[in-house]
Amino acid sequence: MAILFHDFDDITIRWGTDSKKYGLYPKDVIPMWIADSDFKSPQAVIDALAQRLQHGIFGYPSESQRLKKAVSLWEGKRHAFEVTPDWVTFIPGVVGGLVCAIRAFSRPGDKVLIQTPCYPPFAASIENNGRRVLCNPLLLKEERYEIDFGHFERLCQDSQTRLFILCNPQNPTGRVFSEFELREMARICMENDILILSDEIHCDIVYPPQQHIPMASLSPKIADYCVTFISASKTFNLPGFRTAVTIASNSILRSRIHDVLTANKATGQNIMGTLASCVAFESGTDYADQLVRYLKKNLDLAKVKLKKTKLRLVNPEGTYLLWLDCREVTEDPDKLMEFFVRKAKVGVQNGTDFGEEGRGFVRINIACPHSILDDALRRIQDCFEDGISQATVA
Ligand SMILES: Cc1ncc(COP(=O)(O)O)c(C=O)c1O
């Protein structure tokens, strides 16, 4: 079959499209914060949606067997994860699904383990539902975050710990956990009867030679303790459709999530999001391959340009998110935002949003055309060039 080329260099104006990313900062700031990309979705997705729109009737949809099959084929083909379509349950978004799982598998007052720095809604979803957050901070060694397994095990041995929310690939550090790390986390969780909620929304954006390994693909026994969360939204830029799924081989876990979804009237699918996700998973291989290659070039460009500054890049193994250590310039989060947003005019996300471990860090989303990234990096370089004294920038 002929390869379809996607033009990731194309610049599409997003101002005035109700975009959250573009609504936060003034127009002279390049928005590089929230995790959506500035790339159009695959043409096949756009065409399918346009055709469906012409039908003109958008009533309640029935449960999509097509999407269950598409998810199963995608996971098998891309990640060697053999998923039976029946294992798939629809959720209105990964975070909404995590909330349902937290409610399904723990009681108020129970403890839920996360590894920080981490995606802010994890802690919020735990606390907003009356559960308690347990943190196992990841340890920054040179340019890479590592798991403190001793601390992880001690937290799992706490009799009130019920759940572990794994983020793999990890937002914001870009870690893609190895088979050894995954097996070790799984061993500790299973020994302590802790269920694993594995958020793998960034699974398709991994830079070779790294490889994404779905936690539940490691063995049927591990899968028994696991609920996996995925969506087409990051890879194919579809987050506005609010469509995601859980995958669980364990029918008891599936039915408990289903019960919470039903009790909260959170079932039902977005008719266009379902179609977009089906087409993306069914025909998005070329797009996903080209996306990763394009992002790798963006990453390489960022590495070169940032070397000339006092900012230290934590080398990402996956995701389109860069985690920048700015502590040599300042640890003050307000000052950092002042430098980036008001001086450099680059709209980053403050590291402290990801937990106290993020003090002195910012997160930058590089899922944009090369030319935009180049402009942003030039602005950052001008502001943070090596040799500029703290007094000059302060
Ligand atoms: C790790 C992670 N999980 C979940 C989400 C959001 O998923 P959803 O929009 O489906 O709730 C994001 C978005 O940035 C994310 O980075």
Side-chain angles (χ1 to χ4, degrees):
M1 218 158 69
I3 292 177
L4 294 172
F5 284 98
H6 190 87
D7 183 7
F8 291 99
D9 282 328
D10 177 51
I11 297 176
T12 305
I13 304 299
R14 296 183 64 191
W15 301 104
T17 61
D18 295 328
S19 154
K20 197 167 178 176
K21 185 177 188 177
Y22 281 74
L24 183 67
Y25 293 120
K27 268 194 169 176
D28 59 346
V29 174
I30 301 176
M32 305 183 88
W33 61 289
I34 199 170
D36 71 23
S37 85
D38 287 326
F39 306 129
K40 278 191 179 166
S41 297
Q43 193 56 45
V45 171
I46 298 169
D47 291 345
L49 290 171
Q51 196 186 1
R52 180 64 184 83
L53 267 183
Q54 289 312 311
H55 184 253
I57 297 177
F58 310 105
Y60 293 117
S62 58
E63 199 176 64
S64 173
Q65 298 309 314
R66 179 180 170 190
L67 182 51
K68 291 186 177 195
K69 199 162 158 221
V71 167
S72 140
L73 289 174
W74 184 260
E75 284 292 324
K77 190 171 58 177
R78 303 281 306 179
H79 305 299
F81 180 20
E82 297 310 322
V83 171
T84 301
D86 281 350
W87 297 354
V88 175
T89 301
F90 301 113
I91 48 175
V94 166
V95 174
L98 283 169
V99 168
C100 289
I102 290 167
R103 296 180 76 92
F105 305 125
S106 66
R107 280 181 296 214
D110 284 345
K111 295 177 183 170
V112 182
L113 178 60
I114 58 174
Q115 307 203 81
T116 47
C118 87
Y119 178 59
F122 286 4
S125 303
I126 297 164
E127 282 166 352
N128 292 345
N129 287 284
R131 278 69 170 171
R132 287 178 285 169
V133 174
L134 273 188
C135 278
N136 182 45
L138 295 165
L139 306 176
L140 182 55
K141 296 201 174 149
E142 316 249 312
E143 286 183 352
R144 193 165 188 262
Y145 278 88
E146 293 187 2
I147 298 170
D148 181 346
F149 280 109
H151 192 239
F152 185 92
E153 186 150 24
R154 281 194 295 285
L155 295 178
C156 287
Q157 284 163 347
D158 180 330
S159 62
Q160 290 176 311
T161 309
R162 292 275 169 272
L163 296 170
F164 165 46
I165 306 182
L166 169 67
C167 188
N168 183 36
Q170 216 264 356
N171 172 4
T173 67
R175 269 308 315 278
V176 174
F177 295 111
S178 68
E179 180 171 346
F180 170 79
E181 289 171 309
L182 293 170
R183 284 195 185 277
E184 195 54 11
M185 287 187 276
R187 176 192 66 76
I188 297 168
C189 286
M190 290 190 301
E191 280 177 12
N192 293 284
D193 205 20
I194 289 168
L195 290 179
I196 303 166
L197 308 180
S198 189
D199 178 342
E200 302 182 10
I201 196 169
H202 295 280
C203 62
D204 299 315
I205 302 167
V206 170
Y207 305 110
Q210 296 302 320
Q211 250 189 319
H212 171 71
I213 305 171
M215 175 61 109
S217 72
L218 288 172
S219 75
K221 201 166 158 229
I222 293 175
D224 222 29
Y225 275 80
C226 236
V227 180
T228 307
F229 296 74
I230 66 153
S231 167
S233 66
K234 297 294 166 201
T235 316
F236 302 104
N237 206 17
L238 303 167
F241 280 120
R242 313 309 304 137
T243 299
V245 300
T246 62
I247 301 169
S249 60
N250 181 331
S251 61
I252 298 170
L253 302 188
R254 272 202 313 274
S255 78
R256 281 176 57 187
I257 290 191
H258 179 264
D259 288 350
V260 175
L261 284 166
T262 307
N264 289 283
K265 292 273 173 251
T267 50
Q269 293 174 246
N270 177 314
I271 200 164
M272 299 308 259
T274 300
L275 176 62
S277 304
C278 284
V279 177
F281 284 138
E282 286 165 358
S283 64
T285 300
D286 294 342
Y287 181 100
D289 289 345
Q290 290 163 37
L291 172 72
V292 172
R293 283 200 291 273
Y294 194 90
L295 290 171
K296 177 66 171 58
K297 284 193 186 149
N298 271 4
L299 173 59
D300 290 343
L301 179 69
K303 278 186 190 168
V304 171
K305 298 257 172 155
L306 291 169
K307 264 225 160 79
K308 297 175 184 153
T309 71
K310 289 178 164 183
L311 310 172
R312 297 285 155 259
L313 176 64
V314 176
N315 196 21
E317 297 164 331
T319 81
Y320 50 63
L321 307 165
L322 302 189
W323 187 236
L324 267 190
D325 183 349
C326 313
R327 289 175 297 177
E328 220 181 292
V329 178
T330 179
E331 292 203 6
D332 180 336
D334 294 335
K335 267 196 189 155
L336 266 185
M337 293 309 273
E338 173 83 24
F339 295 158
F340 275 99
V341 181
R342 271 182 282 284
K343 198 155 184 268
K345 305 234 175 269
V346 177
V348 298
Q349 186 138 3
N350 203 330
T352 46
D353 291 351
F354 301 85
E356 223 3 74
E357 294 80 10
R359 180 170 288 275
F361 289 75
V362 297
R363 194 191 71 176
I364 303 187
N365 173 351
I366 58 164
C368 61
H370 293 324
S371 57
I372 307 252
L373 180 67
D374 199 40
D375 183 6
L377 290 168
R378 200 164 331 110
R379 295 177 187 203
I380 292 173
Q381 217 180 320
D382 288 349
C383 188
F384 292 98
E385 215 157 0
D386 220 359
I388 293 185
S389 73
Q390 186 102 354
T392 325
V393 274

